[in-house]
Amino acid sequence: MTRNVSIGDVAKRAGVSIATVSRIVNGIAKKASPETVERVRKAIAETGYRPTGAGQALRKGHSRLVAVFAANLANPTMAAVAASIETALRDAGLAMVLCDTHDRADLQDEYLLEMRAQAVRAYVLLAAVASDGLRAALTGPIPTVFVNRRCPIPGKAAFVGIDNRAAGREVARALAQAVPKGRLALVHGPLSSSATADRVAGFKRELAKLGRELAPEDMATAPGVDHLEIGYEGASALLSGRAPKGIFCASDLIAYGVQRRLREADLSVPRDVRLIGFDDNPLNDWVAPWLASVRVPYRGFGEAIVGVLGELWRGESPRAELLAYEFVGRGA
Amino acid sequence: MTRNVSIGDVAKRAGVSIATVSRIVNGIAKKASPETVERVRKAIAETGYRPTGAGQALRKGHSRLVAVFAANLANPTMAAVAASIETALRDAGLAMVLCDTHDRADLQDEYLLEMRAQAVRAYVLLAAVASDGLRAALTGPIPTVFVNRRCPIPGKAAFVGIDNRAAGREVARALAQAVPKGRLALVHGPLSSSATADRVAGFKRELAKLGRELAPEDMATAPGVDHLEIGYEGASALLSGRAPKGIFCASDLIAYGVQRRLREADLSVPRDVRLIGFDDNPLNDWVAPWLASVRVPYRGFGEAIVGVLGELWRGESPRAELLAYEFVGRGA
DNA sequence: ACTGCATGGGTAAACGTTTTCCCATTTCGA
DNA sequence: TCGAAATGGGAAAACGTTTACCCATGCAGT
């Protein structure tokens, strides 16, 4: 219906050139008398003018969009991080394009191309997967920051997350202490994720140091992207022998799956088996008060990510920002 | 570094004009000899050309973006719907800009304006809130579809969701049957959401019909956006009297909150109290096997929404698409 | 031989910005 | 009083597309 108001309309109404309007909108304050500024501001307010993204993007070479890639939006932690990023981006005057890669390289590559065509200002990769497209993107001009899962391709890349290895060690100490004697075990997802791999490595290493090294049959995993199923399958594998007294689950969802399997085997958590998860899903306090976990400050990820992005936009070199995590004891 | 390849580069390489390339890319097949098409296709493949969004948006007046507004991304059902929309949009060659309005009118308005400036092809409002900006948007040229929560402003607007009133009635019958005698109760969030209001209305109406009308003290609510807290507070209110035997919680998260409060009062679900939630969070089977619920086919929302959007883009008039829900008995 | 009409494809305008020049006027220092 | 510099602001190009319009050429029908 009503055509969008353009910078020309504002200029006409204020009786100045569009160049002047543009300068004032963009805060190039050097060149404009206070009266002119006032007139233009008035015209903008009256017309409700707002610069059109397409025009800006065309001229400047980049839009006000940031592409966020998530491996699996159904995963609550991914959704939480996405929400946090969204808020932080908005505070920075940017908008989020959210892409679900389903952990598939082909989809990720397609999205990388499409988002480049959209002239996004940055890529934010939530659990990236290695792919040719990613390799290409890393040499391209679009700043990229990896979140949670480190860049699966060698080279220096910006990262925001926690020290998963140290957290894994802390879990090991907590579990060993909570279960002074008896079989300990581990259930985890694919190790292609650096987050998982680091947690597992730290956990195993520390456990060995404590003299409670895990045997191969104490470690279970399963393929797939659904951590609930992974947990269920992993627990099934563990239960072929004598039930473990303590299990580290590399994510809370895995722990939920494990607990279901244990429940079906008439084992009670935490009475019969201690469980420690990871991520500390906000629902834990409500529906899983038996689950100890590691709280990752997902709410703060957005701010950290936008901070790192700011550095990249200013031309600084990529760095890793590690946030503080916290072990949450539950089910004591 | 490497400048993006533009349509001109392709044209030069294929030895044709950019108009020809554009026509071929856009499938205007009438005007191009097979050999020319072949040459251009080859040039496109070699250069990896892909039309730039900004150019298209500028020329056509709209981008390949669709704006999705969610009231609260931390809510798993919102996230699930968003994920579903994302997939459906991708299949249609579109991308999703996700905006978290935090259920605030001012943020929603700001986003409506900003997304209009981004020339989005549509608004998808997940739990919209009434506001001046929304009123203005509805008279504007951008197709709008409401999801889950109906348009809070009178007038005809496209809608995708379920028949919440009928579902509420079904819950009433199920609860009355599961708890043949004893006090029944209801905990719900703000009634400004049509989804909540309809569920509650259907539930109360049917209960009255069954001769088990709710007294005022059997209905509890609490302000705020966090359903967990609402459930907890609501349950506290209910517990001032004799504990109810069955409670309908207008969402699963509310049910989680209620259950926690009951647990703290040493009441067991479902032994002491039957609980029925709504939405059927996928986690229920894993961590809340005591919670009956109404399964809303959120996975299918995306497809339905994109279908409705297609109609709107073709100029058809807005309609409401109601999807099938299903009562899920648990904790019997 | 001329008209009429497909067929294939090129020219150029338009979309809305930003930004580089450029110009006019004023101010200031000597 | 003259030149230099500062101040305020305009003209126009460029970004990448799409599309309305135009122009050849070839061919069939008269």
Side-chain angles (χ1 to χ4, degrees):
Chain A
M1 230 47 72
T2 56
R3 200 173 53 80
N4 259 329
V5 35
S6 83
I7 195 172
D9 303 330
V10 175
K12 201 171 299 173
R13 182 179 264 260
V16 297
S17 74
I18 61 174
T20 300
V21 176
S22 177
R23 279 190 288 255
I24 290 176
V25 168
N26 292 14
I28 314 291
K30 302 290 156 200
K31 320 243 296 178
S33 70
E35 308 90 69
T36 308
V37 171
E38 184 48 39
R39 272 214 319 286
V40 171
R41 288 222 179 290
K42 188 150 163 287
I44 290 177
E46 286 169 356
T47 56
Y49 167 72
R50 175 177 288 246
T52 305
Q56 288 186 316
L58 194 53
R59 167 67 217 218
K60 313 219 285 193
H62 59 80
S63 64
R64 279 199 304 269
L65 268 27
V66 167
V68 174
F69 297 70
N72 178 17
L73 277 179
N75 187 321
T77 67
M78 300 265 182
V81 177
S84 154
I85 295 174
E86 196 272 348
T87 299
L89 285 177
R90 177 172 46 70
D91 290 345
L94 301 166
M96 171 178 81
V97 184
L98 186 50
C99 309
D100 191 335
T101 67
H102 293 91
D103 223 9
R104 278 168 46 187
D106 58 335
L107 265 183
Q108 178 180 277
D109 284 359
E110 164 61 21
Y111 267 131
L112 284 167
L113 259 36
E114 175 61 23
M115 288 303 114
R116 174 169 175 154
Q118 294 292 341
V120 296
R121 288 203 60 175
Y123 295 134
V124 176
L125 289 156
L126 223 56
V129 45
S131 74
D132 290 341
L134 180 57
R135 235 176 302 272
L138 286 176
T139 69
I142 300 181
T144 304
V145 46
F146 293 81
V147 179
N148 231 357
R149 197 187 287 180
R150 279 176 188 274
C151 179
I153 293 169
K156 63 167 49 176
F159 174 76
V160 170
I162 66 162
D163 185 341
N164 281 289
R165 200 173 295 261
R169 287 197 296 267
E170 185 160 343
V171 167
R173 288 191 294 271
L175 191 61
Q177 189 177 8
V179 184
K181 52 196 311 182
R183 182 184 175 206
L184 297 182
L186 166 66
V187 180
H188 61 80
L191 293 175
S192 55
S193 156
S194 78
T196 300
D198 287 352
R199 289 170 198 178
V200 166
F203 177 75
K204 280 162 46 172
R205 200 168 194 299
E206 185 75 5
L207 225 46
K209 222 178 198 170
L210 295 169
R212 304 186 64 178
E213 198 156 356
L214 291 183
E217 66 270 20
D218 297 331
M219 299 181 282
T221 184
V225 69
D226 185 340
H227 281 205
L228 294 161
E229 296 288 353
I230 290 173
Y232 190 86
E233 297 300 328
S236 293
L238 289 181
L239 287 181
S240 62
R242 196 165 33 88
K245 290 290 181 204
I247 307 178
F248 172 37
C249 309
S251 78
D252 282 354
L253 290 189
I254 290 178
Y256 298 164
V258 167
Q259 193 257 359
R260 181 180 188 176
R261 185 66 186 80
L262 295 176
R263 199 194 325 142
E264 291 178 5
D266 271 330
L267 290 165
S268 160
V269 177
R271 205 190 42 211
D272 302 319
V273 185
R274 291 299 189 95
L275 247 43
I276 300 184
F278 210 106
D279 292 332
D280 200 38
N281 189 317
L283 289 180
N284 283 349
D285 280 326
W286 305 83
V287 291
W290 37 263
L291 182 62
S293 193
V294 175
R295 175 165 304 152
V296 183
Y298 290 119
R299 300 285 143 68
F301 272 38
E303 205 180 339
I305 290 164
V306 172
V308 168
L309 280 179
E311 297 173 10
L312 293 177
W313 288 327
R314 285 194 297 274
E316 303 176 22
S317 64
R319 73 186 173 82
E321 175 153 351
L322 295 183
L323 280 69
Y325 57 89
E326 182 192 3
F327 181 80
V328 180
R330 272 198 213 84
Chain B
M1 230 42 72
T2 56
R3 200 173 54 79
N4 259 330
V5 34
S6 82
I7 197 173
D9 303 331
V10 175
K12 202 172 298 171
R13 182 179 263 261
V16 297
S17 75
I18 61 175
T20 300
V21 176
S22 176
R23 279 190 288 254
I24 290 176
V25 167
N26 292 19
I28 314 292
K30 301 293 154 199
K31 321 245 291 177
S33 70
E35 309 90 69
T36 309
V37 171
E38 184 49 37
R39 275 215 316 288
V40 170
R41 289 224 179 288
K42 187 150 164 287
I44 289 177
E46 287 169 356
T47 55
Y49 166 72
R50 175 178 286 246
T52 305
Q56 289 186 315
L58 194 53
R59 169 66 217 223
K60 311 219 285 192
H62 58 82
S63 64
R64 279 199 305 271
L65 268 27
V66 167
V68 175
F69 298 69
N72 178 16
L73 277 178
N75 187 321
T77 68
M78 301 265 182
V81 177
S84 154
I85 296 174
E86 196 272 348
T87 299
L89 285 177
R90 176 172 46 69
D91 290 345
L94 300 166
M96 171 179 80
V97 184
L98 187 51
C99 309
D100 190 335
T101 66
H102 294 89
D103 223 9
R104 278 169 46 187
D106 58 336
L107 266 182
Q108 177 180 276
D109 285 359
E110 164 61 21
Y111 267 130
L112 283 167
L113 259 35
E114 175 61 20
M115 289 303 113
R116 172 170 176 153
Q118 294 292 340
V120 295
R121 286 204 62 176
Y123 294 134
V124 176
L125 289 156
L126 223 56
V129 45
S131 73
D132 290 341
L134 180 57
R135 234 176 303 272
L138 286 176
T139 69
I142 301 180
T144 305
V145 45
F146 293 81
V147 179
N148 230 356
R149 196 187 287 181
R150 280 175 187 273
C151 178
I153 292 170
K156 63 167 49 175
F159 175 74
V160 170
I162 66 163
D163 185 341
N164 281 290
R165 200 174 294 260
R169 288 196 296 266
E170 184 161 345
V171 168
R173 289 191 293 271
L175 191 61
Q177 187 177 10
V179 184
K181 53 195 311 180
R183 181 183 176 208
L184 299 183
L186 165 67
V187 180
H188 61 82
L191 294 175
S192 54
S193 156
S194 79
T196 300
D198 287 352
R199 289 170 198 177
V200 165
F203 176 75
K204 281 166 41 175
R205 198 166 197 300
E206 185 74 6
L207 226 46
K209 224 180 200 171
L210 295 171
R212 304 185 65 179
E213 198 157 357
L214 292 184
E217 65 269 22
D218 296 331
M219 300 182 280
T221 184
V225 68
D226 184 340
H227 281 205
L228 295 162
E229 296 288 355
I230 289 173
Y232 191 86
E233 298 300 330
S236 293
L238 290 181
L239 286 182
S240 62
R242 196 164 33 89
K245 289 293 179 201
I247 307 178
F248 172 37
C249 310
S251 79
D252 282 355
L253 290 189
I254 290 177
Y256 298 164
V258 167
Q259 192 259 358
R260 181 180 188 175
R261 186 65 186 78
L262 295 177
R263 199 194 325 142
E264 291 179 4
D266 271 329
L267 290 166
S268 162
V269 177
R271 204 189 45 211
D272 303 319
V273 185
R274 291 299 189 93
L275 246 44
I276 300 183
F278 209 105
D279 292 332
D280 200 38
N281 190 317
L283 289 180
N284 283 349
D285 280 326
W286 305 82
V287 291
W290 37 264
L291 182 62
S293 193
V294 175
R295 177 166 302 153
V296 183
Y298 292 120
R299 300 285 142 67
F301 272 38
E303 206 180 337
I305 290 164
V306 172
V308 168
L309 280 180
E311 297 173 10
L312 293 178
W313 287 327
R314 285 193 297 274
E316 302 176 23
S317 65
R319 72 184 175 85
E321 175 154 350
L322 295 183
L323 281 68
Y325 59 88
E326 182 193 5
F327 182 78
V328 181
R330 271 197 215 83

